[in-house]
Structure formats: C-alpha cells, structure tokens
Amino acid sequence: MEVEAFVKYGLFDKQQKSSFKNKHGFAGDQLFYNAEQDYYICPMGQRMEFVGTLQRKTSSGFVQHLKKYQAKNCSGCPLNGACHKAKGNRIIQVNENLERYKAQTYVRLNSERGVEKRKRRCYDVEPVFANIKQNHGFRRFMLRGKEKVAIEWGLLAIAQNIRKKAA
C-alpha cells in the first residue's frame, strides 16, 4: 500500500542518548558482526561463532527465529562479569528480522522527514490522548459499532476542546 511508517520501537528514544551506549556497550547489538563469515566479535576481540538456531513463541503467539552465537573461551577474560554474568562462555541470541526492521526504522526516523514527524507528534497528539486517558479516566468506548464509536469519540473531542478553551 506504499505507506511509510514512522513508528518508534521500544528502545528508540533511549538509544538516541550517548549514555545508553556507555551503559550497554556489551549488548549483543553493539558487537561487530562479520556478515560474510557469520560471526560476532566480543569486546575482547574473540570470535563468537554460530552454534544453532532457536524458535521462541512470544506471549502474543508470534514465533521468533533466533540465531545463537557463542564465544570460544571466556575463562580468564578481564571483562568477564562486565561483559556477561552467566557461568561459562558468553552466548548471544540474535533475531535477524527484528534487527533488520529496527535498522530500517532507525534510518527512517532519523531522516529529515522522520525528525520533523517526531517533533510534531510530541506536541500534536500525545498530550491530548494522555489527558483524555489519565486525567479524565477514558479507557474504553461504552458503545459498539463504527458509527456509535465515531459519535462517542466526537463527543470526547468536543469536551476536550471545551476544557482547553476554558483553561
């Protein structure tokens, strides 16, 4: 349908801050990846080889396909403890589809048009919905059907605009 989405993913805002990378420098998505030979490089320069795949079902029923990579030898590593807390060698799990979508979204949201849309949304839409939900307790529609919901939403919008003018 050629609709270009400008929807932020979960950690997008936090990833924009430099302090996030300082705190999460050992995260799997921060490691160098060699696509040709399919391996990651740990913070100490050790190769993390592909060891297998894993399927996981989310609470909503979506099936994720993850690839597992493991370091060869983490014993005696000076970063052991900071890099990972588990006993044995470090293992990371990578969802390639999710990482690809996040990379595309990151580029789109940081484009000139994406920044413009993000700036507009924060003062256009979000405060209004937050006010209606939090301050006025509207959590769900009382009526059913598109026409009735449209009428109910129209009444909510009128009430919101009157409150705005009265303030």
Side-chain angles (χ1 to χ4, degrees):
M1 298 176 88
E2 297 182 25
V3 174
E4 194 172 17
F6 291 92
V7 179
K8 294 188 268 187
Y9 54 89
L11 290 175
F12 178 79
D13 287 325
K14 286 186 178 182
Q15 287 177 342
Q16 300 300 302
K17 299 175 184 171
S18 60
S19 62
F20 180 83
K21 287 187 179 177
N22 294 340
K23 283 183 185 175
H24 303 279
F26 297 116
D29 60 348
Q30 301 293 321
L31 302 178
F32 173 77
Y33 176 64
N34 183 323
E36 287 178 11
Q37 297 178 3
D38 193 26
Y39 68 85
Y40 281 84
I41 301 286
C42 83
M44 282 302 293
Q46 185 180 172
R47 283 173 65 141
M48 298 180 76
E49 300 288 343
F50 174 74
V51 291
T53 58
L54 170 74
Q55 279 191 357
R56 186 171 38 191
K57 193 179 254 189
T58 64
S59 59
S60 63
F62 183 76
V63 177
Q64 295 179 328
H65 300 279
L66 305 168
K67 291 176 81 174
K68 291 171 64 173
Y69 296 86
Q70 184 174 19
K72 294 263 188 241
N73 185 12
C74 291
S75 62
C77 177
L79 294 178
N80 203 345
C83 179
H84 71 102
K85 307 275 188 264
K87 293 181 180 177
N89 297 331
R90 181 174 181 187
I91 297 174
I92 60 170
Q93 297 176 355
V94 180
N95 184 335
E96 288 181 331
N97 287 336
L98 179 62
E99 295 303 321
R100 186 177 66 250
Y101 287 134
K102 282 168 72 173
Q104 290 171 351
T105 303
Y106 183 85
V107 169
R108 188 178 304 126
L109 288 171
N110 284 314
S111 69
E112 204 171 295
R113 190 162 169 234
V115 170
E116 175 190 320
K117 289 193 177 290
R118 283 191 293 138
K119 284 181 181 177
R120 254 196 359 228
R121 183 174 176 95
C122 67
Y123 64 83
D124 263 358
V125 181
E126 295 300 332
V128 176
F129 287 119
N131 185 34
I132 290 171
K133 285 176 72 176
Q134 188 66 32
N135 299 335
H136 302 290
F138 182 77
R139 297 286 176 188
R140 56 176 50 177
F141 291 99
M142 291 185 282
L143 305 173
R144 297 291 170 248
K146 287 183 181 180
E147 290 179 30
K148 292 177 185 174
V149 166
I151 292 169
E152 190 175 354
W153 183 251
L155 291 171
L156 279 166
I158 290 169
Q160 176 68 20
N161 288 336
I162 291 171
R163 280 192 293 266
K164 213 177 189 183
K165 289 289 183 189

